[in-house]
Amino acid sequence: MLGHVQDYLMKRLIAFLLLLDIFAGTIAMAQTATDSIKIYFWPGYSRFDPEMESNSGAMRHFMEEIRNQAAIDNIERLLVRSYTSPDGVSTANELLSENRCFAVASHIATETGVDMALIDIDPEGIAWDELRRMVAADNRVPLKNEVLRIIDNTPVWVYGAGHKITGSRKKSLMELQGGDVYRWLRRYIFPKLNIAVVYLYLKNDSFSNKNLSAVEPTMKTKPEIDNITLGIISSAPITTKSITHTIDTGRFRDITFHRFALKTNVLYAAIIMPALELEWRMSKNWSVNLEGNMAWWKKKAAHKCYQMAIVSPEVRRMWPRGKRHRNNIYVGLFAGAGLYDLEDGTKGYRGEGVMAGLSFGYSWSLSKRLSLETGIGLGWMTTQYKEYTPYENHHIYTRTRSTNYFGPLKLKLAFAWHFGSVVRYRAKEDKA
């Protein structure tokens, strides 16, 4: 009897939750945008270019509307949605879509003085819905019906046994007619998918300066989760609570960082082994670092030799800190390879080795472009070398040996100069 009661209550609870979800979605969709604008981007770029397509004229009128509504405190919110074409790597497209959102939001805030807290962002990634609409409307598309069938019926990612990816929607498009169809789409359709759409929501529509039909953001079906790229295609409607960058409580800042940094390690310079590093910051939390060290000193007459060359790539996960997020804690995964020739007048060692390990560090911002970085790298190294004895102008071979080592491999106190394009994102202030 108790089991029947539990089943009955559980069914009623599920039905109630479903009705609540439908009701919440209906309420969220009830808000209608008063005005909207479509902005075009160059393929692969996130910078807003007024000269691209009709960006300049359309944005000028839209900005005027925003300023007029802001003057009477009539803006409920602005929503920026950005898209990319399927061309390129999935993770790069997600990052590109996010950067386009921030670029447009920052441009609007700078030009109109609107508080960033009123601007919500929704990076959508690949514009599959718009691609389908454009293909359906264009009779020039080769194998049009087959393209539409793939877009409608093939998931973004196709999973096989063991939850392994066996195919994708993009892969199916690329295989059509030996790639000819995909190349046609990339030439004639894909450039028009690099867009952002900005929606303006007003507290009172009667004060709108434009007598336009209401624009409603496109409704989307349940999102598919891309476990490989960790990208989530968000579902509409977009509400203020559902956007992670929406400001609800606390104080936020518009944060900027440069894409690249050039570094030199003063500790290695002290031992006469100049070091140079180049870091590419892919996003707020991820970067790739390439380090090179070289010492090439030799006194042939005295049989003194200090020659060493090392190259070490590294991937880093960073956690921005400080009021303006200019300080960073990082953890990295590095590898490396090198060669050396060391001679002290009585004995010499010539060989090569490889290494891998983890790095840990912290960087302090000294100015907008200069920072100080400290760090340490721990890991494993293996090397094979030849021992020799110098005699007159010759090296007498002694033996070949190999060594494995686990422990500290790197030590850093480096100055970094930041340069390149500026990327903006919005984040809550830290107290420290």
Side-chain angles (χ1 to χ4, degrees), residues 35 144 158 185 218 301 303 347-348:
D35 196 3
K144 175 179 175 178
V158 179
L185 292 172
T218 304
H303 293 292
K347 186 175 290 188

Side-chain angles (χ1 to χ4, degrees), residues 17 53-54 73 123 127 149 161 167 190 207 265 292 327 350 354 401:
L17 292 175
E53 296 285 346
S54 58
D73 192 26
R149 184 192 66 79
F190 286 2
F207 290 107
N265 192 339
N327 301 336
R350 183 184 297 122
V354 294
R401 302 187 66 179

Side-chain angles (χ1 to χ4, degrees), residues 119-298:
I119 306 177
D120 299 337
I121 66 168
D122 181 22
E124 290 288 331
I126 297 175
W128 290 113
D129 292 340
E130 181 68 5
L131 174 61
R132 197 218 182 276
R133 186 195 68 77
M134 294 181 68
V135 169
D138 194 338
N139 292 326
R140 301 174 304 157
V141 178
L143 298 181
K144 175 179 175 178
N145 292 333
E146 187 64 16
V147 172
L148 292 174
R149 184 192 66 79
I150 290 174
I151 295 175
D152 291 340
N153 301 317
T154 305
V156 175
W157 298 103
V158 179
Y159 295 95
H163 203 65
K164 293 183 178 179
I165 290 181
T166 57
S168 68
R169 183 181 298 169
K170 177 182 174 181
K171 183 174 183 290
S172 297
L173 288 175
M174 295 179 72
E175 292 174 349
L176 274 181
Q177 209 172 41
D180 289 342
V181 174
Y182 187 86
R183 284 188 285 271
W184 190 96
L185 292 172
R186 184 167 57 186
R187 180 176 180 181
Y188 294 105
I189 302 292
F190 286 2
K192 300 175 184 178
L193 300 178
N194 295 289
I195 59 173
V197 182
V198 187
Y199 301 95
L200 172 63
Y201 297 87
L202 300 180
K203 297 176 182 177
N204 189 336
D205 289 345
S206 62
F207 290 107
S208 173
N209 293 341
K210 296 184 180 290
N211 186 19
L212 299 174
S213 299
V215 180
E216 185 66 35
T218 304
M219 290 188 66
K220 294 182 285 296
T221 56
K222 184 177 180 181
E224 298 180 62
I225 299 178
D226 176 359
N227 289 325
I228 299 301
T229 62
L230 300 181
I232 300 178
I233 305 174
S234 59
S235 60
I238 299 300
T239 63
T240 302
K241 291 182 179 179
S242 67
I243 301 173
T244 57
H245 295 282
T246 298
I247 300 180
D248 48 6
T249 60
R251 187 177 179 184
F252 285 70
R253 284 184 182 272
D254 190 20
I255 306 301
T256 63
F257 64 83
H258 291 275
R259 278 291 188 199
F260 299 96
L262 194 62
K263 312 175 190 177
T264 182
N265 192 339
V266 296
L267 296 181
Y268 289 175
I271 58 173
I272 323 177
M273 185 171 67
L276 198 62
E277 297 179 46
L278 179 63
E279 183 176 18
W280 171 40
R281 191 159 175 179
M282 300 180 293
S283 67
K284 179 182 73 172
N285 297 111
W286 291 95
S287 73
V288 176
N289 191 76
L290 182 63
E291 177 183 355
N293 312 318
M294 178 174 285
W296 216 252
W297 317 110
K298 187 171 185 178

Side-chain angles (χ1 to χ4, degrees), residues 315-332:
V315 177
R316 291 181 175 180
R317 173 63 163 89
M318 297 182 293
W319 290 268
R321 311 290 295 172
K323 288 186 177 182
R324 293 189 175 272
H325 283 212
R326 288 180 179 168
N327 301 336
N328 290 282
I329 299 174
Y330 73 84
V331 175

Side-chain angles (χ1 to χ4, degrees), residues 12 60 93 163:
R12 292 294 180 270
R60 183 170 60 253
N93 280 331
H163 203 65

